[in-house]
Structure formats: C-alpha cells, structure tokens
Amino acid sequence: MKLDRIDVKILNALQRNGRMTNVELAEMVNLSPSPCLLRVKKLQAEGYIEGYSAQINIGKLGQTVTVFTEITLKNHRQVDFAKFLAAIKKVDQVIECHLVSGDYDYLVKCVTAGIEEYQTLMERLLDSEIGIDKYFSFVVLKSPLVKAHLPLASLFQQ
C-alpha cells in the first residue's frame, strides 16, 4: 500500500489524538465519515497503525528513574543477538531496545522505581548469562523535550 497525502493526514491526526471520533477525523482530513473509516481500517490492516494507548505522565507516578544503558555483547553471532533479545523482551522495566551502530550493540531505555532497582535489574541480567559483556548507564536528570509523535509531514513529503 502506498500512502497518499490523506493517509498521512489521518496518521498524523491519530498519533496526536487517538481518541477522536471518526466524524472529527473525517472533518480534519476533508473526507466524509465512511471513506475516512475505510481508510483507517485499511491503515490498521496494513500495519501502519499498530494500536492505541494512553500517554502516562511519569512525573505523577512518584519517584522513578529513567536510565539509558549502552550494552555490548560478548559474541556477535545471530544466536547471541536472539538470546539477548528473547531475555530483554521479558523485562517490564525495559521500555525501549535499539540495535545500534558504533562502539556498543544495544541502547536500552529502562524505567525503574529507583537507582537501587535499576542496579538489581542489571545484576540479574548479568547473572542470567544472556551474553552481556559490559554496560554503561546514563541516568536521566531531566527530559525537557519528549515527543510522542513522528514528523510524518517531513517523512512523507508528497
């Protein structure tokens, strides 16, 4: 499926407010409700829309710590990457995991109740023999800018 400008408008509107009604969305993208709904269903079926969720204000949850962790694996065979990923996917505190280029293999974002929980988590991962050679931690002090939406207009210039 090739996206047209209306599809991009739909995606852009929904990523900013996934709770809007189909009628509101249709008005926003200049379609009538039926064709708009058909497009949304097609975007969902094609995997462009993976789901809908609430954005939680982490500051309201009490004391938490966010840590970015650079992880280097001992070995770099396909089986080593698969073993690491299978284990890391099961860790609730890991909210992002990226395979990256450069001096380390993965950049992992963790959110824990505190630095002690983070350290316990890392010790548990090291003890579980999932192939971690070394890791470096970067504790987030403040997040002055966090966007929950993608720059779709510039990614899909029509």
Side-chain angles (χ1 to χ4, degrees):
M1 172 181 175
K2 181 156 173 48
L3 298 180
D4 64 17
R5 66 178 180 75
I6 294 174
D7 294 324
V8 173
K9 281 184 174 181
I10 289 171
L11 292 172
N12 199 34
L14 287 175
Q15 75 174 348
R16 292 174 188 275
N17 180 5
R19 292 182 57 152
M20 73 172 58
T21 68
N22 183 57
V23 172
E24 292 169 329
L25 178 60
E27 286 176 14
M28 191 174 282
V29 299
N30 297 318
L31 284 178
S32 58
S34 290
C36 183
L37 185 58
L38 288 173
R39 281 182 179 250
V40 170
K41 289 188 181 292
K42 188 170 184 181
L43 289 166
Q44 290 171 341
E46 294 288 329
Y48 288 97
I49 299 172
E50 293 184 334
Y52 299 87
S53 63
Q55 295 174 17
I56 308 299
N57 181 345
I58 195 168
K60 296 279 188 181
L61 298 177
Q63 180 118 13
T64 61
V65 66
T66 301
V67 182
F68 286 93
T69 308
E70 297 173 350
I71 296 177
T72 303
L73 300 183
K74 292 176 188 171
N75 298 300
H76 296 93
R77 299 168 302 184
Q78 193 61 37
V79 67
D80 300 310
F81 288 104
K83 182 179 181 181
F84 173 80
L85 278 178
I88 210 79
K89 284 179 182 178
K90 296 176 186 173
V91 180
D92 285 340
Q93 295 92 335
V94 173
I95 61 169
E96 291 181 24
C97 179
H98 306 273
L99 179 63
V100 296
S101 62
D103 293 338
Y104 52 96
D105 299 312
Y106 288 97
L107 180 63
V108 176
K109 183 178 181 182
C110 300
V111 176
T112 62
I115 201 69
E116 191 173 316
E117 181 187 359
Y118 170 76
Q119 189 58 39
T120 300
L121 168 66
M122 291 311 298
E123 289 168 0
R124 191 176 78 234
L125 289 173
L126 289 168
D127 289 344
S128 66
E129 296 294 325
I130 59 171
I132 297 174
D133 181 35
K134 59 185 174 186
Y135 72 96
F136 296 96
S137 305
F138 301 89
V139 176
V140 174
L141 302 176
K142 192 176 196 179
S143 298
L145 177 65
V146 177
K147 293 182 180 179
H149 57 274
L150 299 171
L152 295 180
S154 63
L155 292 175
F156 294 97
Q157 294 176 350
Q158 305 275 325

